[in-house]
Amino acid sequence: MKTIPFLLLIMALISCRKSEEGTLRVAGLEESVEVVRDPYGINHIYAQNQRDLFFAQGYLAAQDRLFQFEVWRRQATGTVAEILGESELTRDIGTRLFKYRGSMTEEMQYYHEDGIEIIEAYTKGVNAYIEQALESPETLPIEFKALGILPEKWTPEVVISRHQGLLGNIQEELAVGRAVARLGAEKVQSLLWFHPKTPDLTLQEGIDEDGLFEDILGLYEAYRRPVTFRAEHLLEAYRSTPVETALLQRKALNLADRENPRVDSLSIGSNNWVVAGGRMANGKPLMANDPHRRIAVPSLRYMVHLVAPGWNVIGGGEPEIPGVSIGHNGFGAWGLTVFETDGEDLYVYDTHPENPDQYRYEGQWEEMEIVQETIPVKGKQPHTATLKYSRHGPVVFEDTLRHKAYAVRCAWMEPGGAPYLASLRMDQADSWEAFRKACTYSHIPGENMIWADMDGDIGWQAVGIAPVRKDFSGLVPVPGDGRFEWADYLPIAEKPHELNPQRQFIATANENVTPDSYTHWDAIAYSWADPFRGRRIQEVLSGENPLTLEEMKQLQTDYHSLPARELVPYLNSLELSGRSAAARDYFSDWDYTLAPNAIPPAIYVAWENEIRKGAHSRFVPEEAQEILSSLQLERILQWIREPDAVFGSTGSRDAFLQDTFDTAVDGLTQRLGDDMSEWRYGQKALKHTAMTHPLSDALSGAYKKGLDLGPLPRGGNGYTPGSTGNNYRQSSGASFRVIIPVGAWDEALGMNSPGQSGNPESPYYGNLFELWAQDAYFPMYYSRDSILKYSDSREFLQPQ
């Protein structure tokens, strides 16, 4: 007999609701729901009606990710300070400042015609599990015990929170504005890689340049940052000792590249592609997607299979959101990557010298709207926060000395701005036309949505709410006096799109894919990811031979480096000596693949890092180096290709390349020793992955066993399709992957590292970590026969 999962087993033993083996009574259900769990932790949910389907999704997701759900709820409601103290008060103020305050009816119905029913059912399912868990608090996961807290109930407002979304570029906008204030618009244009058009970076009259260096976005950034835990947050019995903490910090410094914590910021992205049946060896269209986000435990994504009348969809999404955002139904498959969309602007106001609650707009004084919120604070009296709003949005900073105020206008404050929830409409699409219509509801994030279906269609539709700016670029702060308004939002159907191209594939990887023939440039962003991943994917897909599923797996985890292919040949003309010459010899027959356990990748990546660091130090003036913390590699390669304009001569460029290579070799010697045969990429002291539980550093050794995973070897970097980020300890990349042959649904492949569950005691907590680190996949079964054949457990949730 197959066993039921650990958490269900515990509940079965302690709850009187269990009436027979394999059956659990759950208050709130209308009819019986069957749950089949496969060996990879995916719950296949079979419900007899739509309401029970999403109730069960919420119930089971909360069961797997209860602590993650509680942290999400507190982030969404601005109640983190209630459990972690005054240090989190700024976060909670920011959360409440950016709270969605529109009509909840309009908001929920936006995502699906039955949005109210779906979101409320999901929330009730979450709460049903919380009620059961609270009956036996001693069985709660370790995090609740260590913090001395209990999970609390959800409301639909938690589901539609925007706090973890990929929302906009406001931080880039302020950074560019500060850089322009220090260097001038022309110099900043020369350093940053803006395209496909050239933005106007002029700081307008009314912008106080010195004032831009105040902590303008402190509330916004506090609202958006991940929650971190320290020993003092825990009950004393669970806390790590100062000695343990010091050892952990030293270990972390050995494992991770902390020399530049921002070095990974430009490497977060995603890959996706669809291939027409005519290019595939089996004649069937295929969809592949691997979104790249922060590597964490528990996983950012959660996989599920939802089956009920009108629904039969499998794939992944964020665990706290109903539906599936990446996956397939019985008609087609879809995936996403970020399509850079500028949905935020920073407005600067002149405020009344005698009344800072008034700001000037179109020559008149307008009153800010004021809202007061009471915020609970652990160990303190509740704090009363005064929140202010202009006509453009939340006021994030008031400069009373200069009589200025700053507000962030957010397109994602419109109804429909909750990330990924519009996927509910996509989950039921039965054709390209239906899928594209569903895309028109997808406001956040800006994405490249791709589709492949049973009719043989492959398509691409860029989505995301996109303001139209007629008179300004959106890349620097602007006066809020009425001169710089959004003209409208571009209809999503008018964003770039494509259907059945002659090349027989569509691929996106966060690079600019807007065709030259496009016309609505006033709603297209200027900043895009480096193009290397996208170019490599297109290179492979453009080959002459039919493509196989195995080749798609290889491409999704491909470590071939286009920058290496371009840079390494320059070494042949350099007059290297000693250890640098010996290091260069390792490249003599290298294929430019950043494979683990190989020596050339270690040498190359060290050199690439020094090139980036050296270019930043040499070309970014000192007064702006902290503002512009990194340069895109493509921009640096442009300078290397045509050295006269920036380096002054080919000789000066070659000297730069030689100096950076010598520095890289010296650095590897210091890090790994004199023996070059030990300079292998993927080792613990170089390129690896290690997933650390959020409470790991705070917990004492007696309680942290089994929480952390790794280290294990990794290959690649942030510029290879198999993206592993640009830190030596992988901090970003694709923990979630799917490859879906359309129509051959049981041949679909998936991955969701480290596992489906966030409970360290669950067998599904870290069971996928090693498979993922080895770039392996698991079968993503869709047919009921296959699901039952390979199931780990089968359970019936019955109405109480």
Side-chain angles (χ1 to χ4, degrees), residues 27 131 202 243 254 274 378-379 595 629:
E131 287 175 3
T202 305
V243 172
N254 288 333
V274 281
K378 183 180 181 181
S629 59

Side-chain angles (χ1 to χ4, degrees), residues 268-286:
I268 294 179
S270 306
N271 305 322
N272 68 15
W273 61 87
V274 281
V275 183
R279 280 286 294 126
M280 297 299 301
N282 65 0
K284 298 179 182 294
L286 177 138

